[in-house]
Amino acid sequence: MSEFPDPTAVRGPVYRAFDLLARICMTVAGIQLVFLVAIFGWLVFGRYVLNDTPTWVEQAALLLVVWITFLGAAAGVWTKAHLSIDFVREMLPMPVRVPLRWIAVIGVIIFGCYLAWHGWELAEKTWKRRIPMLGMAEGWRAVPMVICGVLSVLFSLVHLAALARGEDPLEF
């Protein structure tokens, strides 16, 4: 048995709900990744065995990659596993480190708002067009931007509240 408590047991219902939401994002992205591998397997089989290349695979793959990327990025904001250069900040003295943590979280909130807003505009403007070979609305390529932006803002607001309580965000 581990000597460390389960972090979800220590945290409240908001933390557990957002943790579940991030896990759902990663699960959906993982399932989509399995589909991505499967359709590329079908592409190779169709091209080299059947001599009949399935032309829809490229467009489906592009759509899946966008969804996988943005769902994974949103979950990364929650788990603080996203791309960041925090080791430089964490080497600085505490009086400098704390304001930089605030700035980083606020920056993610601003970026998330921007991503959600412009993702929504992009989805709205492209909804009437169809993705070639799939027949789906082109706006489905922008929907994950909106989801990622909204989730990034929500997750970062929880991180901001933790900072306001004086909690170490690296331990969050």
Side-chain angles (χ1 to χ4, degrees), residues 60-119:
L62 290 171
L63 184 64
L64 285 170
V65 166
V66 170
W67 276 86
I68 292 165
T69 301
F70 281 108
L71 290 177
V77 170
W78 176 249
T79 61
K80 292 189 174 74
H82 55 82
L83 180 63
S84 67
I85 316 288
D86 57 358
F87 71 91
V88 174
R89 179 189 66 217
E90 297 306 316
M91 290 181 355
L92 296 171
M94 190 57 79
V96 176
R97 190 180 321 161
V98 172
L100 289 177
R101 288 178 181 168
W102 281 82
I103 291 169
V105 174
I106 291 168
V108 173
I109 291 171
I110 292 168
F111 178 76
C113 288
Y114 183 83
L115 187 64
W117 177 262
H118 289 287

Side-chain angles (χ1 to χ4, degrees), residues 15-151:
Y15 177 90
R16 288 192 300 272
F18 281 137
D19 193 58
L20 176 64
L21 193 54
R23 289 176 190 268
I24 290 169
C25 286
M26 287 307 295
T27 301
V28 170
I31 291 168
Q32 290 172 332
L33 187 59
V34 169
F35 279 116
L36 183 65
V37 171
I39 66 172
F40 270 112
W42 177 249
L43 174 77
V44 170
F45 181 77
R47 178 177 292 157
Y48 296 109
V49 175
L50 302 177
N51 200 25
D52 184 23
T53 303
T55 55
W56 57 269
V57 171
E58 180 183 353
Q59 291 300 322
L62 290 171
L63 184 64
L64 285 170
V65 166
V66 170
W67 276 86
I68 292 165
T69 301
F70 281 108
L71 290 177
V77 170
W78 176 249
T79 61
K80 292 189 174 74
H82 55 82
L83 180 63
S84 67
I85 316 288
D86 57 358
F87 71 91
V88 174
R89 179 189 66 217
E90 297 306 316
M91 290 181 355
L92 296 171
M94 190 57 79
V96 176
R97 190 180 321 161
V98 172
L100 289 177
R101 288 178 181 168
W102 281 82
I103 291 169
V105 174
I106 291 168
V108 173
I109 291 171
I110 292 168
F111 178 76
C113 288
Y114 183 83
L115 187 64
W117 177 262
H118 289 287
W120 180 269
E121 285 182 340
L122 183 61
E124 193 175 55
K125 288 178 183 175
T126 60
W127 201 262
K128 291 182 182 177
R129 284 187 282 175
R130 298 286 165 213
I131 298 174
M133 310 294 173
L134 296 181
M136 297 173 62
E138 184 77 37
W140 282 109
R141 292 189 204 265
V143 168
M145 292 172 61
V146 177
I147 294 170
C148 179
V150 169
L151 290 177

